Amino acid sequence: MSAVTAGARDGWLRVAAPVAVGVLGLLLWFLVVDVLEAAPRMLPSPIAIAEELVLRSGIIAEDMAVTATNALLGLGVGAVAALVLAGLAMASRPVDGMLAPIVAAIAVVPIVAVTPILNTMFGASSQFGRVAVAALAAFVPIFVNVLRGLRQTRPVHRDLLRASAATGWQRFRVLTLPTALPYLTTGLRIAGSLAVISALVAEYFGGPADGIGTAIATYAKSGRASLAWAYVAGGIAIGLVFFLVTALLERLATRRSPQ
Amino acid sequence: MEHGRADAVHAVEASGVGKVFAGRSGEVVALTDVDLTVRAGEFVSLIGPSGCGKSTLLRLIADLDGASSGALTVFGKPAHQARLDQDYGIAFQQAGLLPWRTVAENIALPLELHRVGKEQRRARVAELAELVHLGDFVDRHPDQLSGGMQQRVAIARALAASPKLLLMDEPFGALDEMTREYLQSELTRIAAETGAAVVFVTHSIPEAVFLSDRVVVMSPRPGRITDIVEMPFAGERDEALRESPAYFERVTAVREALHGAPVERANER
Ligand SMILES: Nc1ncnc2c1ncn2[C@@H]1O[C@H](COP(=O)(O)OP(=O)(O)OP(=O)(O)O)[C@@H](O)[C@H]1O
Ligand SMILES: [Mg+2]
């Protein structure tokens, strides 16, 4: 009985605590900016930001769609490439040996560093450079996690499939892939946030004049702080959606994973 | 009852079988010169101290490892061919169920791998689930079952393709005594119903005596067969047997064979 009430209280606390922190933060912010009028430059009132959000919701949503699409495409391309290459690396030692340094190189080179080059390469009217940056960023964590996951099959399961005279393809489909699935979703969760950040930051370095990142840079430069912050809120929303969806996928996949 | 059929193909026939593992710190002789015949429908237990090669012998029969020397046939074929033909079913010490599959899907796995049709599969799974008394649990996942129930699922899975040979490596090793005795009775019943030969690895003398037609006693360094003790209990393996003097007499016989000398007053405790 007490365990039940304790459990319910824990669940309630888990929601209430962050909400309380958020509300407190907003209050403090409001107090500093609107009541004390002690705000630094470029920090507008939360009310002003909310007004901009409502007023410009149409155009903000359009720019959010651009950035989110770039991030999603990048995540998809990165995931497919990571899956295929991890599969090859698992199947063949030489391929594994060849891929390892390439992946290490992609992992250590800050992707943002090559963004201006990619943007110039694919021209000012193409989203391709941004998608490529998101894909590169998403590739690494998915590849690393999937490759590890593909190697987690338990000996007793391998013996079982051998004893059942399973073919190589059957073993992959029935055992190797399901075993790797939770690792794939963990990779996706990490890569999802990276893809959003990369797609957004890539917009700071040229390309078409749309997207959340482009807008933030433009309005920050021209001093329209409230609007810039409204766009930041849009960026946060994209990141949140990506995180929530991928975290949910991970939860579903790990529900029945081997301990 | 198979004794009369002189021309019947033996379930397992091993002669001069040896296994050497090449390790980093030299070679390990896991088995030497094993001669063993398991008749069709016969229940044979392997017993012996840890490291005497029981699991190794079972894995050789299952073609999970290859023998280093000697000749090994399963139903008259090389072990490799018998594995491809699904002539045996196997259960390990760990149930080894796939956690993302339901009980029914786990039991059906061997059938699925051999492209048995969906309808046929469903019928067979229902039959097997009844056989191991898990009819109400076919839609559960393994993490919702007790260890004993998981082990029963593993046994049903081993029986799925109706093999004429069942290989079991300490399948009840991790279970409590009550569950263990219950599953022993179940296994006796299942073996009788299916007519399958069984090679059963165990550490428990009473378990071996209760279940087997013959108990194969092994000894380590190097792993080999030192004795084979006959059990005369065909057709009378019920709870009364566990308390009968004849049973205790056989337990003592196996214990003596294990220790290599008569054990004094072994059952006077
Ligand atoms: N894959 C392997 N590589 C190297 N040595 C092995 C391997 N498998 C088994 N051995 C060795 O072979 C010998 C027999 O092992 P085995 O597992 O067959 O013993 P066992 O009788 O089943 O023991 P237990 O009762 O503890 O399960 C042991 O000395 C073991 O160290
Ligand atoms: Mg063993």
Side-chain angles (χ1 to χ4, degrees):
Chain A
M1 280 259 289
S2 68
V4 171
T5 48
R9 196 173 56 227
D10 276 1
W12 186 80
L13 248 178
R14 211 168 19 200
V15 180
V19 169
V21 170
V23 170
L24 268 176
L26 269 178
L27 270 176
L28 200 69
W29 184 357
F30 179 75
L31 199 78
V32 170
V33 178
D34 288 311
V35 182
L36 301 178
E37 295 185 16
R41 224 159 66 85
M42 290 305 287
L43 184 64
S45 144
I47 292 167
I49 297 173
E51 276 170 8
E52 288 283 17
L53 256 179
V54 174
L55 210 66
R56 315 254 172 180
S57 60
I59 181 78
I60 293 179
E62 265 173 46
D63 282 317
M64 278 171 73
V66 170
T67 305
T69 306
N70 287 343
L72 194 62
L73 278 176
L75 183 61
V77 170
V80 169
L83 270 174
V84 170
L85 292 180
L88 287 176
M90 184 206 54
S92 140
R93 284 222 154 266
V95 173
D96 186 25
M98 287 188 285
L99 281 175
I102 300 177
V103 174
I106 298 178
V108 291
V109 172
I111 306 302
V112 193
V114 295
T115 310
I117 304 170
L118 285 175
N119 270 335
T120 313
M121 230 158 102
F122 297 109
S125 60
S126 167
Q127 300 284 356
F128 195 89
R130 296 167 177 177
V131 174
V133 170
L136 277 172
F139 169 80
V140 175
I142 301 178
F143 177 87
V144 171
N145 275 283
V146 169
L147 187 53
R148 172 179 304 168
L150 290 173
R151 292 180 169 146
Q152 298 299 313
T153 57
R154 290 170 53 201
V156 63
H157 288 153
R158 292 200 296 270
D159 282 348
L160 173 74
L161 288 202
R162 182 173 159 85
S164 310
T167 62
W169 168 245
Q170 283 178 328
R171 188 179 59 222
F172 184 75
R173 187 173 52 80
V174 168
L175 177 61
T176 315
L177 208 56
T179 305
L181 190 65
Y183 293 83
L184 167 63
T185 54
T186 298
L188 273 177
R189 173 175 53 75
I190 302 168
S193 306
L194 281 177
V196 172
I197 294 171
S198 307
L200 199 152
V201 172
E203 294 171 7
Y204 295 162
F205 301 98
D210 52 11
I212 292 280
T214 311
I216 295 173
T218 309
Y219 296 125
K221 253 179 243 156
S222 60
R224 298 180 62 181
S226 307
L227 192 53
W229 281 103
Y231 271 99
V232 170
I236 293 173
I238 299 174
L240 257 178
V241 169
F242 270 66
F243 175 80
L244 286 177
V245 171
T246 51
L248 183 73
L249 280 178
E250 185 183 23
R251 240 200 147 119
L252 287 175
T254 46
R255 213 173 27 157
R256 303 227 181 272
S257 61
Q259 51 287 19
Chain B
M1 57 183 165
E2 307 288 339
H3 298 220
R5 290 175 20 205
D7 58 335
V9 186
H10 290 143
V12 179
E13 210 162 349
S15 63
V17 166
K19 176 68 184 176
V20 181
F21 287 108
R24 243 172 255 142
S25 51
E27 294 186 334
V28 179
V29 182
L31 278 179
T32 80
D33 206 23
V34 168
D35 294 314
L36 178 66
T37 301
V38 179
R39 289 185 292 270
E42 189 184 21
F43 199 120
V44 171
S45 288
L46 308 179
I47 197 165
S50 191
C52 70
K54 304 181 293 294
S55 298
T56 303
L57 179 53
L58 203 76
R59 292 177 64 84
L60 293 186
I61 298 172
D63 188 42
L64 294 176
D65 288 318
S68 311
S69 57
L72 179 65
T73 61
V74 177
F75 294 110
K77 315 171 213 181
H80 176 71
Q81 190 58 44
R83 175 172 67 80
L84 295 183
D85 292 350
Q86 286 283 280
D87 285 337
Y88 70 81
I90 192 162
F92 305 94
Q93 178 163 8
Q94 305 164 284
L97 305 179
L98 298 175
W100 51 84
R101 287 183 162 234
T102 63
V103 167
E105 289 164 346
N106 267 289
I107 297 177
L109 181 68
L111 303 174
E112 196 182 310
L113 294 175
H114 283 81
R115 303 198 170 78
V116 174
K118 206 169 185 155
E119 273 316 307
Q120 228 177 320
R121 230 155 58 200
R122 211 202 331 258
R124 181 77 181 131
V125 166
E127 204 176 298
L128 288 160
E130 282 312 316
L131 190 71
V132 295
H133 299 321
L134 285 174
D136 295 338
F137 296 89
V138 285
D139 293 326
R140 302 281 189 91
H141 280 85
D143 59 358
Q144 298 169 297
L145 303 183
S146 72
M149 290 159 97
Q150 292 186 20
Q151 210 48 262
R152 269 141 73 196
V153 176
I155 292 170
R157 179 179 63 191
L159 291 166
S162 309
K164 285 286 146 208
L165 172 63
L166 203 49
L167 305 175
M168 309 181 93
D169 194 349
E170 298 185 49
F172 309 147
L175 304 177
D176 66 87
E177 197 60 30
M178 299 259 291
T179 313
R180 203 175 167 131
E181 287 193 356
Y182 168 68
L183 287 184
Q184 287 166 9
S185 303
E186 293 287 287
L187 182 59
T188 304
R189 176 178 64 81
I190 290 168
E193 277 175 27
T194 60
V198 184
V199 180
F200 187 92
V201 173
T202 179
H203 271 140
S204 159
I205 300 174
E207 181 167 273
V209 171
F210 181 80
L211 290 169
S212 316
D213 296 314
R214 284 189 296 154
V215 175
V216 174
V217 178
M218 299 177 67
S219 121
R221 281 177 298 277
R224 64 197 185 279
I225 294 176
T226 49
D227 209 343
I228 297 183
V229 188
E230 300 265 349
M231 303 292 136
F233 304 127
E236 49 183 292
R237 294 190 183 92
D238 50 22
E239 291 314 302
L241 174 64
R242 293 188 196 276
E243 321 237 312
S244 77
Y247 172 73
F248 287 118
E249 187 261 315
R250 290 285 97 180
V251 169
T252 308
V254 172
R255 186 177 289 136
E256 283 174 356
L258 260 175
H259 292 262
V263 179
E264 278 169 45
R265 279 169 297 187
N267 49 13
E268 279 182 26
R269 283 179 295 159

